[in-house]
Amino acid sequence: MKALPSAKAKRNVPLHLMLLPAVILVLIYNYIPMLGVVMAFQRYIPGRGLFGSPFTGLDNFKYVFGLSGFTSAVRNTVFIAFIKMVTGIVVPVTFALLLNEVRAKKTKKIIQTMIYLPFFLSWVILAGILRDILSPSTGIVNKFLMLFTDESVYFLANAGIFPWVIIITHIWKEFGYATIIYLATLTTIDPALYEAAMIDGAGRLSQTWHVTIPGIAPIVILLSVLSLGQILNAGFDQVFNLYNFSVYSTGDILDTFIYRISLDNLQFAIGTAVGLFRSVVSFVFVVASYWLADKLTDYRVF
Amino acid sequence: MNIRDSKAEALFKKINTVFLCIVAVLCVLPLVHVLALSFSSSRAAGAGIVTLWPKEFTLEAYNYAIGRSQFWRSMGISLSRILVGLPVNMVLTVLTAYPLYMYSRSFKARNFYAWFFFITILFNGGLVPTYMVVSMTGIRDTLWALILPTAVPVFNIILLLNFFRRLPKEISESAYMDGASHLRILFQIFIPLSKPALATLILFVFVFHWNSWFDGLIYMNSSENYPLQTYLQNIVVARDFEMYSSATAEELKALAEVSDRTTKAAQIFIAAFPILIIYPYLQKHFVKGIVVGSIKG
C-alpha cells in the first residue's frame, strides 16, 4: 500500500511537465509585473532601475490623490461603468423578452443577426465609424438632426454629451451578445410550465411574469453580480479611441489617465501608483463579486 | 373578453415586431452608411450626398488603401501574429486545461496550479510594470511582443477544463486503468471528443488576435511594425487626435470637412472583412461556447 502514492506521483510527472510552459510564461509576464508594483513606492530613476531607485513611501500616492485629473478620472470611471452595468442588464433582458414574443422564426433570426454583429468588431473599427457619422459638419447623424434644428451637435467634443455617447455606443456593441445569452436561457425553460400556466388561465403577460421571468432570474442575477467586478472598468479601448482633450472633464477614465501619465508623460512611478490603486480596488470588487455569485447561485469558476 | 384579449395581443405582437426591426436596422445602419461611403467618389462624400447606397460608384478609395506599402506590411504582421499566436494559444490551452481538469484527489498539486493561473484574472501589475517586463525580455519591436504576454489565455483554459469535466468519465478512467499515459488520454480521447469546444476557442483566439491593437501601439517602436488594427487606429483615430489637441473649435470643424472620408471608410472595411467573412460561424459558436463552458446548472 505504501508504494501506491509514490507510483501515483511518478505517473503525475507528465502533468507537471504539461503545465511547465504556461507556468513559465505566466511567471514572467504576469507575476514579475506584480512585483514591479514596488515602483509605486519609489522615486523611479531609469538609470538605476528597480533595485537602485530610492524608496519614498507613500509620496507618489499623496501626489496622485492631490491631482484634480485623478479625482475626476475616478468619478468618471465609476459613473460610466455603473451606468454601463445597469443598462447592460436592463436593455438585453428587455430585448430578449420582447424578441421571445416574436413567433416568426426567420424574423427572429434576422433580428439576432443584425444586433449581434457590432460585438465582433474592434473598438478601433467602431470608433472609426462613429467618428465619421458623428462629425459635426459631414456626419450623417447631424445631417439628420439638421432636418429639425439649425445647430449641429459635436458629440465627441461636448463634455456634457460625451459620457452618454460612450454609454449608448457601448450598448450598441454589447447588447446583442447579452440578448442572445438570455434568449438561449429562455429556450431551456420547460414548456410544460407554460402549459400548466395556460390551463390555470394565465394570459400572455402573466405567463411572462410567472414563468419566463423566474426562468431567467438566476442567470440575470449571476451576470449582474459578476459585473460588479467591473466597477473600475469603464472601457479603455472605447474611450481611448473616441475621446479628446476637450472632454477630459467628463470622459477621462482611470485607464486613459494611467496611459497618458505613463506613456505620454513618461512618469513611470506615478503611472504605476495609479495602476496599483486601480488593481487593488478592482481586486476587492472582483473577489466580492465571485464570493456573492457563489453564495447566491452556487457559481464556481473552476 | 377572450376575443378582445387576442386582438390586443395581435396588436402588441405587430408593434413589438416593428419596434424590434427598427432597433435591429439602427444597429447596422452606421456600418451600411460607411460601407456606402467607401465605394463612393470623394466628391460625393465631401458633398454629403451619400446615405445608404454608394454615389458615383468607384473603387478609388480601395485602390488608394491597397496601394500603400505599409498597409501590406501591417496586414502581413496581423496574419503572422495569427499564424504563430493561434497555435501557441491553443497548444498552451490544451496542455494546461488537462492537468487542471483533474480533481485534487488524483493530482495533488491541481488546486495550487489552478489558483496560480486564476490569480492573474484577479490581479495584474498594471500597464507600466508589464511594459517594462516586455522590454526587459527583449521582445519589444518583434512579433513575440504580440504573442508571449498573452500566450496563456486563462479564461479559455477554464472554459476547456469545464468542458473536459463534462465528458463521460468511464472512457478516460478505463484507459488510465489500462496504463494509458496522460498524454495519450489527452490526445486520443479528450481532443477528439472536444472538437466543438476547440472550434469555439479557435474562433475566440482568432477574433482576439485580429482585433488587438493596443499591444501593437505600445510594444512596437516604429509604426512600420504595427499590425493592421494598430495601423488603422493610427490613421483613423490618432492622427485626428494630435490635431485636436491644439485646434480651436473653428479649426476642428474645418478639419472635419477634409475628405479623406472615403479612404478611411475603405480601410475600416478591409480591417473588418475577415470578421464579416467568419461572422456566420461566430454567431453560431460564440454564445454556445460561453454558455456551455462557464455556467453550470
Side-chain angles (χ1 to χ4, degrees):
Chain A
M1 279 312 271
K2 274 224 164 134
L4 207 62
S6 84
K8 199 164 90 182
K10 213 180 216 171
R11 237 185 138 180
N12 282 345
V13 169
L15 296 177
H16 294 280
L17 289 177
M18 284 159 93
L19 288 162
L20 191 63
V23 166
I24 292 173
L25 282 163
V26 166
L27 265 180
I28 297 175
Y29 291 107
N30 295 87
Y31 279 89
I32 296 181
M34 289 184 203
L35 299 177
V37 300
V38 297
M39 254 169 76
F41 305 97
Q42 290 179 329
R43 187 159 55 81
Y44 183 70
I45 300 163
R48 290 211 225 155
L50 213 53
F51 301 102
S53 295
F55 278 88
T56 53
L58 296 175
D59 281 4
N60 291 336
F61 291 93
K62 280 181 201 147
Y63 171 75
V64 166
F65 293 149
L67 292 175
S68 67
F70 174 77
T71 356
S72 79
V74 172
R75 206 179 43 232
N76 298 338
T77 303
V78 173
F79 175 75
I80 292 173
F82 180 75
I83 308 270
K84 278 182 175 178
M85 261 162 58
V86 175
T87 54
I89 299 155
V90 176
V91 175
V93 168
T94 314
F95 211 85
L97 290 176
L98 293 179
L99 201 52
N100 197 42
E101 296 300 320
V102 176
R103 287 284 169 262
K105 270 204 172 138
K106 227 178 187 166
T107 317
K108 206 169 165 179
K109 183 86 197 164
I110 292 171
I111 293 174
Q112 285 184 49
T113 304
M114 287 161 87
I115 62 171
Y116 195 16
L117 179 60
F119 177 76
F120 294 103
L121 300 173
S122 72
W123 269 116
V124 170
I125 287 173
L126 295 180
I129 291 171
L130 288 168
R131 279 163 171 267
D132 186 280
I133 65 169
L134 296 178
S135 146
S137 50
T138 55
I140 193 155
V141 174
N142 269 306
K143 282 262 151 56
F144 179 73
L145 291 178
M146 294 289 233
L147 298 176
F148 310 103
T149 60
D150 335 307
E151 197 127 339
S152 66
V153 185
Y154 203 164
F155 291 97
L156 298 178
N158 180 324
I161 300 175
F162 185 78
W164 298 102
V165 174
I166 291 296
I167 286 155
I168 289 167
T169 57
H170 171 83
I171 296 174
W172 173 47
K173 179 167 158 57
E174 302 285 333
F175 92 102
Y177 169 68
T179 298
I180 283 164
I181 289 190
Y182 291 128
L183 266 182
T185 318
L186 284 176
T187 59
T188 62
I189 296 176
D190 185 359
L193 291 175
Y194 288 106
E195 278 161 32
M198 260 192 298
I199 290 165
D200 291 346
R204 269 235 83 89
L205 201 66
S206 103
Q207 284 178 39
T208 304
W209 189 250
H210 292 289
V211 181
T212 314
I213 291 183
I216 56 166
I219 189 161
V220 173
I221 293 171
L222 173 64
L223 294 182
S224 317
V225 169
L226 290 180
S227 73
L228 281 178
Q230 301 301 309
I231 192 68
L232 287 190
N233 183 6
F236 174 80
D237 284 17
Q238 181 193 14
V239 173
F240 187 76
N241 287 315
L242 288 171
Y243 85 152
N244 58 72
F245 83 108
S246 50
V247 292
Y248 281 177
S249 61
T250 58
D252 193 22
I253 57 169
L254 267 177
D255 288 327
T256 49
F257 183 73
I258 293 168
Y259 175 87
R260 285 200 318 278
I261 285 204
S262 313
L263 298 182
D264 285 350
N265 305 350
L266 297 175
Q267 290 178 289
F268 281 0
I270 306 293
T272 307
V274 187
L276 181 59
F277 167 81
R278 187 219 191 278
S279 294
V280 169
V281 177
S282 286
F283 175 79
V284 172
F285 275 92
V286 172
V287 171
S289 75
Y290 280 129
W291 179 81
L292 252 181
D294 181 30
K295 285 278 166 265
L296 292 175
T297 62
D298 283 332
Y299 171 82
R300 287 284 165 85
V301 187
F302 58 86
Chain B
M1 197 49 191
N2 253 337
I3 294 166
R4 207 190 300 159
D5 262 10
S6 63
K7 256 190 186 166
E9 224 177 276
L11 183 67
F12 162 76
K13 271 195 174 154
K14 262 187 204 136
I15 296 175
N16 182 38
T17 308
V18 170
F19 168 74
L20 294 175
C21 287
I22 291 174
V23 174
V25 168
L26 280 177
C27 284
V28 292
L29 269 192
L31 307 173
V32 175
H33 171 66
V34 177
L35 184 62
L37 269 179
S38 73
F39 286 111
S40 300
S41 73
S42 54
R43 196 201 66 81
I49 53 172
V50 181
T51 50
L52 298 176
W53 198 253
K55 287 272 155 65
E56 302 173 11
F57 181 92
T58 166
L59 293 175
E60 72 183 11
Y62 286 91
N63 277 332
Y64 169 80
I66 61 172
R68 298 170 89 177
S69 61
Q70 185 55 43
F71 168 81
W72 290 107
R73 252 193 89 89
S74 291
M75 176 73 93
I77 288 164
S78 279
L79 292 179
S80 32
R81 131 173 230 173
I82 289 174
L83 228 58
V84 182
L86 195 134
V88 167
N89 280 154
M90 289 309 295
V91 167
L92 287 170
T93 302
V94 169
L95 284 182
T96 312
Y98 178 82
L100 297 184
Y101 123 92
M102 310 197 78
Y103 289 89
S104 50
R105 60 175 177 274
S106 46
F107 179 39
K108 258 201 190 127
R110 184 263 171 194
N111 282 349
F112 166 78
Y113 282 118
W115 277 99
F116 175 82
F117 289 109
F118 183 59
I119 282 171
T120 64
I121 290 183
L122 302 179
F123 191 84
N124 66 72
L127 178 66
V128 174
T130 311
Y131 176 83
M132 293 181 79
V133 171
V134 170
S135 297
M136 279 169 0
T137 47
I139 57 173
R140 228 171 70 198
D141 227 18
T142 72
L143 189 63
W144 296 108
L146 310 177
I147 291 166
L148 294 182
T150 52
V152 186
V154 176
F155 182 71
N156 293 0
I157 291 169
I158 293 172
L159 290 183
L160 189 61
L161 84 88
N162 282 324
F163 188 89
F164 282 168
R165 285 196 164 179
R166 275 188 303 274
L167 293 174
K169 288 201 175 37
E170 297 76 17
I171 315 171
S172 56
E173 267 167 17
S174 62
Y176 190 77
M177 292 301 169
D178 292 347
S181 70
H182 287 298
L183 273 179
R184 211 175 140 156
I185 294 173
L186 173 59
F187 283 97
Q188 295 194 342
I189 299 174
F190 276 45
I191 290 183
L193 287 174
S194 313
K195 273 185 199 148
L198 292 171
T200 305
L201 293 182
I202 288 175
L203 288 175
F204 278 17
V205 173
F206 179 88
V207 172
F208 167 79
H209 272 295
W210 183 260
N211 280 347
S212 292
W213 58 277
F214 186 62
D215 46 7
L217 180 69
I218 61 174
Y219 297 142
M220 297 305 179
N221 292 331
S222 90
S223 53
E224 273 186 20
N225 291 332
Y226 282 171
L228 196 64
Q229 296 275 338
T230 314
Y231 165 80
L232 184 72
Q233 201 266 348
N234 203 30
I235 288 177
V236 176
V237 179
R239 207 179 285 162
D240 286 12
F241 190 67
E242 277 162 28
M243 289 191 251
Y244 272 133
S245 51
S246 58
T248 65
E250 280 312 300
E251 283 173 314
L252 285 175
K253 282 202 172 181
L255 186 74
E257 307 298 330
V258 182
S259 188
D260 53 350
R261 282 178 85 193
T262 57
T263 57
K264 281 184 181 174
Q267 293 176 88
I268 286 170
F269 270 91
I270 295 173
F273 190 66
I275 301 286
L276 299 177
I277 291 282
I278 61 165
Y279 182 49
Y281 301 96
L282 294 174
Q283 200 187 1
K284 210 163 133 196
H285 293 289
F286 234 69
V287 165
K288 208 164 64 188
I290 299 268
V291 173
V292 170
S294 67
I295 295 154
K296 295 174 278 177

